[in-house]
Amino acid sequence: MTEKNYPSGSVYPNIWFQGGGYACIWSFGVAQAIKESKFNFSNVGGYSAGALVATFLCNPHTSVENCLDSCFDGPYGPKKSIFAPIGRHQRNMTYMAEACAGHPHDWNCNFYNQKLWITIRGLMSFTGSWRSRYRNYDDLVDVVVSSGCIPGMSGELSNCYYQDNSEKRGPTIDGGLFSSTPPEFWKGDTIIVSPWGSGDINMNPSARFLDIIIPRIDRLWMYYQLGVTQGRKFFSS
């Protein structure tokens, strides 16, 4: 699929990133290839770790090097400690979310509002919601952290606003428990990016289950390079 398939005036595709912990390092490679190709898209979204990648893609000024450094060298990243007391990984997730969102001084709501769609789910709720409008930089970071919140593994019970236009907020858990698929109300084509072999562009070979939380650093770098290669081929063929 190439940009010439979507001439001026047509509906551009949406891009959806599935979650998968550190396996989504591959997805960062795909997202970097999308940025390099200047491929036009209407909306971008994701859940859990996929929300990190979608946030990175939405901001044209964020650096993939900073994002990868935050994943590898975060306070409690794979080079430090995989398992840590509840609360410590919350700081690690915040560290990564801030790297994907860029510097707060460069905050621009137009990069994200009504373009970036992230799933969240309230801790005590059987339903979830979409967030697609962000009050400020800290709100965006809270939503990204909340979508990837798995207590004891990748965050504590994060607090964020439950709805775009409501002041109600509270603890949330992994957004994939609400929806792991794109919004039904997205119009036009949707390109699904999946480390698990269930998308339009898939990691080849697929990620291992242990790569979600217990990755090998050499495999992560291999995954990223593979994502760049596959992404360049997909978006320029």
Side-chain angles (χ1 to χ4, degrees), residues 22-35:
Y22 284 107
C24 287
I25 295 296
W26 168 83
S27 305
F28 274 107
V30 176
Q32 176 62 15
I34 296 173
K35 280 193 172 184

Side-chain angles (χ1 to χ4, degrees), residues 107 131 133-136 139 161 163-167:
W107 161 258
R131 287 293 308 277
R133 295 188 64 86
Y134 308 94
R135 294 162 170 80
N136 49 43
D139 183 25
Y161 295 101
Q163 302 288 344
D164 286 339
N165 300 313
S166 170
E167 293 304 311

Side-chain angles (χ1 to χ4, degrees), residues 46-139:
Y47 67 94
S48 198
L52 287 167
V53 186
T55 302
F56 159 71
L57 181 57
C58 266
N59 188 331
H61 305 305
T62 47
S63 162
V64 71
E65 288 80 12
N66 288 344
C67 293
L68 295 181
D69 285 346
S70 74
C71 294
F72 295 159
D73 298 318
Y76 299 95
K79 288 185 178 179
K80 308 292 177 61
S81 171
I82 297 300
F83 297 102
I86 291 177
R88 293 187 177 183
H89 277 296
Q90 169 77 13
R91 293 191 288 276
N92 201 50
M93 282 292 294
T94 300
Y95 187 72
M96 291 188 284
E98 290 174 346
C100 293
H103 197 281
H105 291 166
D106 300 324
W107 161 258
N108 186 336
C109 65
N110 293 325
F111 292 155
Y112 307 103
N113 285 349
Q114 295 297 299
K115 296 177 183 178
L116 174 63
W117 299 80
I118 296 176
T119 65
I120 62 169
R121 177 173 170 176
L123 176 64
M124 305 304 294
S125 173
F126 291 104
T127 61
S129 61
W130 299 96
R131 287 293 308 277
S132 63
R133 295 188 64 86
Y134 308 94
R135 294 162 170 80
N136 49 43
Y137 179 87
D138 289 336
D139 183 25

Side-chain angles (χ1 to χ4, degrees), residues 1 12-18 27 30-31 34-35 37 39-46 50 53-54 57-58 115-117 182-183 186-187 189-194 200-201 234-235:
M1 184 177 295
Y12 289 95
N14 308 299
I15 301 179
W16 178 255
F17 291 95
Q18 292 186 351
S27 305
V30 176
I34 296 173
K35 280 193 172 184
S37 69
F39 186 82
N40 288 321
F41 54 85
S42 297
N43 302 288
V44 61
V53 186
L57 181 57
C58 266
K115 296 177 183 178
L116 174 63
W117 299 80
W186 274 9
K187 295 182 179 179
D189 297 329
T190 298
I191 299 169
I192 297 177
V193 181
S194 170
D200 299 291
I201 176 170
F234 186 88
F235 291 97

Side-chain angles (χ1 to χ4, degrees), residues 24 33 38-39 44 47 80 85 147 157-158 196 208 226 235:
C24 287
K38 301 187 184 302
F39 186 82
V44 61
Y47 67 94
K80 308 292 177 61
S147 187
L157 299 175
S158 309
W196 310 108
R208 303 178 309 164
L226 178 62
F235 291 97

